[in-house]
Amino acid sequence: MLHVPRLPEILDVMCRRLPTHAVALVLGSLVTTAADAQQPSPRMPAITGFSPAASLSQRQLEQMAIAGPLPARARSHAQELSKEPHVAGTPAQKRTADYVIAQMKAMGLQTELRSYDVWLPHATGVSVTMMGRDTVSLDVSERPIAGDPVTALPQYLTVNGSSAAGTGEGELVFVNFGLIEDYATLDSLGVSVKGKVVLARYGRSFRGIKAREAEKRGAVALLIYTDPLDDGFVQGDVYPEGPMRPVFGVQRGSVFNGTGDPLTPGYASKPGAPRLTVEQTNLPRIPVVPIGAANAQQLLAGVRGTDIPRSWQGGLALRYHVGPGPVRVKVSVTTDAATAGTKQIHNTLGYLRGSEYPEQYVYIGAHRDSWGAGAADNISGTVSVLEAAQALSDMAKRGERPKRTIVFATWDAEEWGLMGSTEYVEDDSLRLKRSAVAYLNQDVSAQGSQFGGGGTPSMRAILRDVVKSVPDPRGRGTVYEAWRLTSGTRADTLEPPMGDPGGGSDFAGFYNHFGIPNADWGFGGPSGIYHSAYDTFAWMEKFGDPGFLYHATAARIGAAFALRLANAEVLPYDYAEFARTMSRYLGPVERGLTQKGWSTAPVGELAKAITGMEQAARAFNDARDAALAKGVTKAQRDVVNTQLMLVERIFARDSGLKSRPWYRTLIYASDVDNGYSSMVFPGVNEAIRYGTASDTQAEVTDLVTRFGQAASALKTAQDALSAAPRK
């Protein structure tokens, strides 16, 4: 009998050694055998959202989907797509779109290239100069690595995306991570950054927040470096001897604190669309330049002035000082904003049409653009989407077409502010709000062996169940078993922790803007090549994913996950887990109110509403399982699924958050003063942080109403099932 955990490796050898037509013939036989080998017994519980009989066939189909992605083919895609730097708005990036479209056409998918014209000025020049009697111009480029030819290719200049053009000159001030609390510390030390050039460490907050806070306080330029304490030699051997960042490695990245094209906020950047001027946006007004640790050390070596707080000391071989000065620095950036600021970006879409519900859509997507060759970020995600598409399109050719349409998307210009995916959701807003079942995101899907996942709580149980059927490439059982092991989850009553969807990747348009449920997953490990010239195929093959087994494994999860959502009789969202998760966030709300000296009565109102939703969700779950055991008509399924798709959309307020109207959902958002961390109940918590007691009460009242509406939608779905007849 075929040993199923070795099936992917067997298929990989087949793919490399047999002609394509022979692989196709043998594949059908092998996946059928694999499905038979893991066919559930009559006592095995049904899959959530499926009848017992449908569960049996669905598990077989998912085993076929899991068998489809191949490491050798993943390697080939990765090598081709990361052969050169491909920043958004360049011909090289358009070539990645052409490659993906060609691959999807070869799979037999219906394809679409969706293009938009967005504000995307590229840097044309950068300099950082130490001024004084002995003027020194720093070399801000990244050095090529022997044995990695891609690092010797022309790279995007070491300028942060959306940096302002211009020149800033002044004494240097070291501001630690450039957090709001770091500036409070500087205030207490009597140090001002007005008229100064600021040097900040990467980490602890989004780089755009660092730029915003420096500019707000009057700095004339910002330099950002990655301290070796965080992802350099302090953490391990540096590339090419190890996976960590060399001292001349630079982290690029956007400093735009927004989502989508900044000139067309809230609507698609199509020809004829009204556009703001740059002055009407919140784009940075000062030059922002990333530098390597070696350059940071050269600058900090001459800084004196105020001594640093103990916690500000990093990993460079010197004693850090705050300044200001006596080191004086001039930072200059030029861009093509005046001549070619608007550039065209390209999303690719591949459609596998559903057999029963072609107008309901399950999306699985990844961004293609990078700051360099981008083997990890995010060619790994693009390859995962391609391999999932290949697996499911092959099944469709053999007659196993999904019931709902699955859309395989690759997005452009994510690195500049989620532009490609945002323009798409703004363009297709009506269809998405009406018909999108879920969005599955792949962003850095493979650069190690340690699994992690996240998304909206309604989708977490599905992800956990899917990975229980996917083999771990290192032989640690299933991905789920390896996940429990590496996350230290020992108690049988606990599940591995999962991340919240605050923002920062392409799920934002689907979830943060519209309330469409989302999930994401990937495999991580030691890495110091983020947003640098060293995120290459050679690095990936040596350190990130030798053999490309985890690229294929991420795709296996995506194929099975998408297929489950596409085929479910009743959409398998878990709104009981959603409500339970929300109840765990009441404590911080209560503490915030207490710290303000305000009444904590609103917490009780919110707790009661959440409990009401959980009770409605539990009752619906029981009714769903009982009805599916007997049989549910198509008319009933239609009513039930329509109500289920409403639940999370109910929490998306049309007017959005007061701080950021584009962010509509009242459940999760990125922290407005951090960018990387998630904020739960952002309307309420921002009112506590910045507003009044009455503002907070208004936000709680709104949220309570929405939990009640969600419970009502679940009750309507339950009522539709309450008298489910036998088929």
Side-chain angles (χ1 to χ4, degrees):
M1 181 180 291
L2 180 65
H3 181 48
V4 175
R6 292 190 61 238
L7 178 59
E9 288 71 32
I10 293 170
L11 293 176
D12 186 37
V13 172
M14 268 179 18
C15 184
R16 287 186 275 113
R17 296 184 180 178
L18 295 179
T20 303
H21 68 277
V23 173
L25 288 172
V26 180
L27 181 60
S29 173
L30 279 177
V31 294
T32 301
T33 306
D36 290 342
Q38 294 212 347
Q39 187 176 126
S41 69
R43 290 175 295 178
M44 193 171 188
I47 303 175
T48 299
F50 293 79
S51 68
S55 293
L56 292 173
S57 60
Q58 179 64 19
R59 289 193 189 277
Q60 292 176 337
L61 291 172
E62 288 181 16
Q63 284 300 316
M64 293 181 191
I66 289 166
L70 303 176
R73 195 169 54 211
R75 181 186 185 279
S76 178
H77 288 318
Q79 187 170 29
E80 177 63 27
L81 286 166
S82 63
K83 67 183 181 182
E84 60 183 337
H86 50 100
V87 174
T90 65
Q93 174 63 355
K94 176 57 165 58
R95 286 192 285 274
T96 67
D98 294 340
Y99 177 86
V100 169
I101 289 289
Q103 294 297 315
M104 289 187 175
K105 283 183 176 178
M107 297 173 196
L109 299 176
Q110 176 188 342
T111 63
E112 180 184 4
L113 187 71
R114 190 81 68 91
S115 301
Y116 301 96
D117 296 322
V118 300
W119 183 248
L120 204 72
H122 284 176
T124 57
V126 58
S127 66
V128 178
T129 307
M130 294 176 63
M131 308 301 290
R133 185 175 59 185
D134 298 318
T135 299
V136 178
S137 181
L138 302 184
D139 180 2
V140 294
S141 64
E142 292 182 291
R143 300 177 190 173
I145 298 292
D148 188 346
V150 172
T151 63
L153 295 175
Q155 304 289 331
Y156 187 79
L157 294 178
T158 53
V159 175
N160 287 106
S162 296
S163 164
T167 298
E169 181 179 345
E171 290 181 309
L172 190 67
V173 177
F174 175 61
V175 297
N176 197 28
F177 290 99
L179 309 175
I180 292 174
E181 50 266 41
D182 291 332
Y183 284 105
T185 298
L186 290 175
D187 289 342
S188 71
L189 296 172
V191 176
S192 169
V193 300
K194 186 174 183 180
K196 307 295 193 294
V197 172
V198 164
L199 176 65
R201 287 170 62 176
Y202 267 116
R204 308 271 179 95
S205 73
F206 174 57
R207 67 187 75 81
I209 303 296
K210 299 177 192 293
R212 184 191 75 187
E213 295 304 313
E215 181 181 328
K216 183 189 297 184
R217 289 164 174 78
V220 296
L222 169 65
L223 301 174
I224 319 178
Y225 82 102
T226 305
D227 198 281
L229 188 64
D230 301 316
D231 71 357
F233 59 76
V234 177
Q235 297 298 323
D237 289 329
V238 302
Y239 191 55
E241 284 75 27
M244 307 313 293
R245 191 183 302 270
V247 293
F248 41 79
V250 171
Q251 182 194 138
R252 295 162 181 80
S254 175
V255 288
F256 171 46
N257 292 306
T259 305
D261 175 23
L263 305 191
T264 59
Y267 52 94
S269 53
K270 300 170 75 172
R275 296 177 187 270
L276 303 180
T277 65
V278 173
E279 291 70 29
Q280 292 174 306
T281 71
N282 65 345
L283 289 163
R285 304 289 196 269
I286 62 174
V288 186
V289 173
I291 60 174
N295 281 329
Q297 177 156 330
Q298 189 170 356
L299 293 172
L300 282 170
V303 173
R304 291 296 180 265
T306 306
D307 196 14
I308 60 166
R310 173 175 293 208
S311 62
W312 287 26
Q313 180 67 37
L316 295 173
L318 52 79
R319 176 62 178 174
Y320 294 28
H321 292 81
V322 168
V327 174
R328 189 172 184 86
V329 181
K330 181 166 74 172
V331 181
S332 295
V333 170
T334 58
T335 73
D336 63 4
T339 57
T342 297
K343 295 179 177 65
Q344 194 167 68
I345 61 172
H346 310 279
N347 297 330
T348 72
L349 302 160
Y351 300 88
L352 182 57
R353 291 293 175 188
S355 60
E356 293 186 26
Y357 303 100
E359 297 306 315
Q360 292 182 15
Y361 301 91
V362 176
Y363 285 82
I364 178 168
H367 73 88
R368 292 186 332 278
D369 69 306
S370 300
W371 289 107
D377 188 9
N378 184 38
I379 294 308
S380 67
T382 302
V383 169
S384 175
V385 171
L386 281 173
E387 281 296 294
Q390 184 76 64
L392 297 180
S393 62
D394 284 347
M395 290 175 61
K397 291 171 187 174
R398 298 195 299 273
E400 301 294 352
R401 182 171 291 276
K403 294 179 180 178
R404 295 179 178 85
T405 295
I406 301 176
V407 184
F408 304 95
T410 73
W411 313 113
D412 205 346
E414 185 268 0
E415 297 290 5
W416 294 76
L418 318 183
M419 289 192 185
S421 58
T422 296
E423 297 312 308
Y424 175 78
V425 299
E426 292 173 351
D427 196 9
D428 264 16
S429 59
L430 295 178
R431 176 165 61 175
L432 288 168
K433 286 193 284 188
R434 180 181 64 248
S435 305
V437 170
Y439 176 71
L440 310 179
N441 194 51
Q442 289 286 266
D443 196 350
V444 191
S445 63
Q447 63 168 10
S449 62
Q450 186 165 333
F451 181 77
T456 51
S458 60
M459 299 276 280
R460 295 177 185 177
I462 313 170
L463 179 57
R464 288 194 297 265
D465 193 59
V466 165
V467 299
K468 289 175 181 177
S469 298
V470 179
D472 172 61
R474 291 178 58 183
R476 298 171 294 183
T478 65
V479 169
Y480 177 77
E481 290 166 331
W483 183 19
R484 290 186 65 89
L485 179 68
T486 58
S487 63
T489 305
R490 305 297 183 215
D492 292 340
T493 56
L494 298 177
E495 294 288 357
M498 301 180 80
D500 295 326
S505 192
D506 288 306
F507 62 78
F510 293 84
Y511 178 70
N512 299 116
H513 194 52
F514 286 146
I516 296 165
N518 84 284
D520 58 80
W521 62 92
F523 295 89
S527 172
I529 45 77
Y530 176 64
H531 285 190
S532 76
Y534 310 120
D535 184 2
T536 63
F537 180 82
W539 181 93
M540 180 63 72
E541 192 163 48
K542 187 174 182 181
F543 299 111
D545 186 15
F548 291 82
L549 300 175
Y550 286 94
H551 282 68
T553 303
R556 290 170 187 143
I557 296 167
F561 201 157
L563 193 62
R564 181 169 298 191
L565 292 168
N567 285 347
E569 295 169 88
V570 174
L571 292 170
Y573 311 127
D574 189 339
Y575 284 116
E577 178 165 349
F578 179 96
R580 286 196 305 274
T581 303
M582 293 303 102
S583 67
R584 294 202 292 267
Y585 295 118
L586 291 171
V589 174
E590 185 171 22
R591 286 194 294 274
L593 292 170
T594 300
Q595 289 169 1
K596 287 281 190 173
W598 299 342
S599 169
T600 59
V603 177
E605 300 172 35
L606 193 51
K608 183 178 179 181
I610 293 171
T611 299
M613 181 184 175
E614 183 178 357
Q615 291 170 343
R618 288 181 179 278
F620 167 77
N621 289 351
D622 291 341
R624 174 199 62 207
D625 295 344
L628 285 169
K630 298 176 182 178
V632 179
T633 67
K634 182 179 184 303
Q636 289 171 315
R637 290 198 301 269
D638 289 346
V639 172
V640 170
N641 288 329
T642 296
Q643 292 300 310
L644 291 175
M645 288 170 65
L646 280 177
V647 173
E648 279 177 87
R649 289 162 167 81
I650 285 169
F651 294 98
R653 183 166 66 193
D654 287 344
S655 61
L657 299 177
K658 291 182 179 179
S659 63
R660 294 155 291 170
W662 187 87
Y663 281 78
R664 295 179 178 178
T665 182
L666 302 180
I667 298 299
Y668 292 108
S670 58
D671 191 312
V672 70
D673 285 330
N674 181 283
Y676 281 146
S677 61
S678 294
M679 178 179 279
V680 188
F681 306 144
V684 172
N685 280 307
E686 287 183 0
I688 293 173
R689 187 185 292 181
Y690 306 113
T692 64
S694 60
D695 293 332
T696 303
Q697 181 62 63
E699 290 287 349
V700 169
T701 299
D702 188 359
L703 196 52
V704 164
T705 299
R706 292 172 192 276
F707 273 107
Q709 292 170 342
S712 296
L714 290 165
K715 181 63 166 62
T716 301
Q718 178 189 345
D719 291 344
L721 293 171
S722 60
R726 291 184 179 274
K727 291 184 179 178

